[in-house]
């Protein structure tokens, strides 16, 4: 497997978790990149590369994802994701920290800012999973289609090239920019003892548990407590997170909405150059 630009930092978090924090490099103010459910920090490498002259990127693997360990209790309630964010912030010891979050990663940043106001000076959130009570969460109160789909995922491939070709041939990963898909395949799988076959680092069961413990509506209820400037970005596919994005932006004390009609929920992986440009503007990196 191609190595990360640097060996990841190892950081303790709550419930016995040890986090992997990846240094994405670059020159400029620090920017923390937080990934969605089922992915890992290195999925942001193509976006960070487009910002290398403007920012120094850092990307953690959340608990149970990538090279981070799972909680001892196997409790994947999203308050633990906020624990992970704050553990990284404390480890870096940085002020005036700007951050980017996608889906679960966006929710984790909001939960962190709500718990510790002033942690971030600016936020860019692509379709954060922050649903109001009236809308509910996907599968809330009954079936959870996202968890069910996660448990059906194929966890093993004979080699990375086969995995890449499999994902490239069908949605949603087939719409990824080739560099983003390669980052996922290169870093999201671990080699098995035979030296060729690979398996997902974030197992289907862990991914399902994360979906089943998605952030509670109370996070939405307190969006007005977040005072830092926040850009809420949404694609044009019309799915739940894109529909709710305007409500999130309106509920924030200092929120604004951006739409990308040509992108889906996976916009940062579909157009890393375009999203990087939007991040640069939103976080005032230029």
């Amino acid at each position: 497997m191609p190595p990360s630009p640097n060996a990841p930092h190892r950081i303790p978090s709550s419930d016995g978790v040890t986090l992997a924090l990846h240094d994405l490099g670059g020159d400029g103010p620090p920017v923390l990149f937080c990934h969605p459910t089922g992915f890992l920090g290195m999925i942001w490498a193509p976006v960070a590369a487009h910002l290398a002259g403007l920012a120094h990127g850092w990307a953690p693997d959340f608990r149970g994802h990538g090279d981070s360990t799972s909680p001892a209790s196997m409790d994947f309630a999203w308050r633990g994701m906020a624990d992970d964010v704050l553990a990284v912030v404390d480890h870096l010891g940085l002020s005036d920290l700007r951050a980017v979050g996608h889906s679960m990663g966006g929710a984790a940043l909001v939960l962190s800012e709500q718990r510790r106001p002033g942690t971030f000076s600016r936020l860019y959130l692509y379709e954060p999973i922050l649903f109001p009570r009236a809308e509910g969460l996907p599968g809330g109160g009954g079936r959870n289609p996202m968890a069910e789909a996660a448990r059906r995922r194929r966890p093993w491939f004979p080699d990375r090239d086969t995995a890449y070709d499999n994902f490239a041939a069908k949605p949603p990963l087939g719409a990824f920019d080739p560099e983003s898909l390669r980052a996922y395949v290169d870093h999201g799988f671990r080699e098995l003892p035979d030296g060729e076959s690979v398996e997902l680092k974030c197992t289907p069961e862990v991914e399902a548990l994360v979906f089943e413990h998605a952030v509670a509506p109370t996070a939405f209820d307190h969006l007005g407590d977040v005072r830092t400037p926040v850009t809420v970005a949404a694609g044009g596919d019309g799915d739940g997170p894109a529909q709710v994005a305007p409500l999130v932006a309106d509920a924030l004390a200092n929120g604004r909405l951006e739409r990308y009609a040509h992108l889906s929920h996976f916009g940062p992986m579909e157009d890393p150059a375009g999203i990087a440009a939007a991040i640069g503007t939103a976080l005032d990196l230029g």
Side-chain angles (χ1 to χ4, degrees):
M1 179 183 71
S4 303
N6 298 290
H9 296 224
R10 298 291 178 180
I11 303 168
S13 187
S14 63
D15 202 359
V17 168
T18 299
L19 300 172
L21 174 64
H22 303 277
D23 185 346
L24 302 181
D27 296 317
V31 175
L32 186 66
F33 291 89
C34 294
H35 67 80
T37 301
F39 290 88
L40 73 168
M42 289 300 293
I43 196 68
W44 285 109
V47 172
H50 288 289
L51 291 167
L54 299 174
H56 187 135
W58 297 90
D61 296 340
F62 283 111
R63 55 188 59 208
H65 294 72
D67 295 320
S68 295
T69 65
S70 291
S73 66
M74 292 300 286
D75 179 357
F76 283 95
W78 285 17
R79 62 179 177 272
M81 309 306 175
D83 292 344
D84 295 346
V85 169
L86 294 174
V88 168
V89 170
D90 290 343
H91 172 79
L92 292 174
L94 298 171
S95 59
D96 190 32
L97 184 58
R98 305 165 206 195
V100 176
H102 178 195
S103 194
M104 175 188 72
L109 289 172
V110 168
L111 287 167
S112 302
E113 181 66 22
Q114 288 174 333
R115 187 184 302 175
R116 193 188 294 176
T119 296
F120 300 106
S121 60
R122 288 179 181 268
L123 294 173
Y124 177 95
L125 311 178
Y126 192 98
E127 296 196 1
I129 305 302
L130 296 163
F131 283 66
R133 293 179 186 275
E135 297 291 336
L137 291 164
R143 290 178 57 245
N144 189 311
M146 298 297 292
E148 293 172 4
R151 288 192 171 97
R152 293 193 298 268
R153 290 195 66 185
R154 180 178 175 182
W156 172 91
F157 291 91
D159 53 60
R160 280 191 170 79
D161 288 341
T162 302
Y164 183 98
D165 292 342
N166 174 77
F167 293 129
K170 57 189 179 183
L173 276 66
F176 281 22
D177 178 90
E179 289 189 1
S180 296
L181 183 55
R182 179 53 64 185
Y184 173 60
V185 171
D186 283 351
H187 299 283
F189 287 80
R190 63 170 57 88
E191 289 183 1
L192 294 175
D194 62 15
E196 293 185 5
S197 58
V198 294
E199 67 178 2
L200 283 167
K201 291 179 177 178
C202 180
T203 68
E205 181 61 20
V206 165
E207 184 177 0
L209 289 171
V210 174
F211 282 126
E212 288 173 345
H213 292 82
V215 65
T218 53
F220 186 95
D221 294 345
H222 296 284
L223 285 176
D225 296 338
V226 176
R227 316 305 295 184
T228 192
V230 182
T231 297
V232 179
D237 59 13
D239 284 348
Q243 293 179 21
V244 173
L247 302 181
V248 174
D250 287 344
L252 288 159
N254 195 2
R256 58 184 296 271
L257 179 70
E258 290 186 353
R259 285 280 192 189
Y260 309 104
H262 63 297
L263 299 177
S264 78
H265 181 64
F266 297 98
M269 294 87 147
E270 295 167 348
D271 185 10
I275 294 299
I279 290 170
T281 299
L283 299 189
D284 194 23
L285 296 174

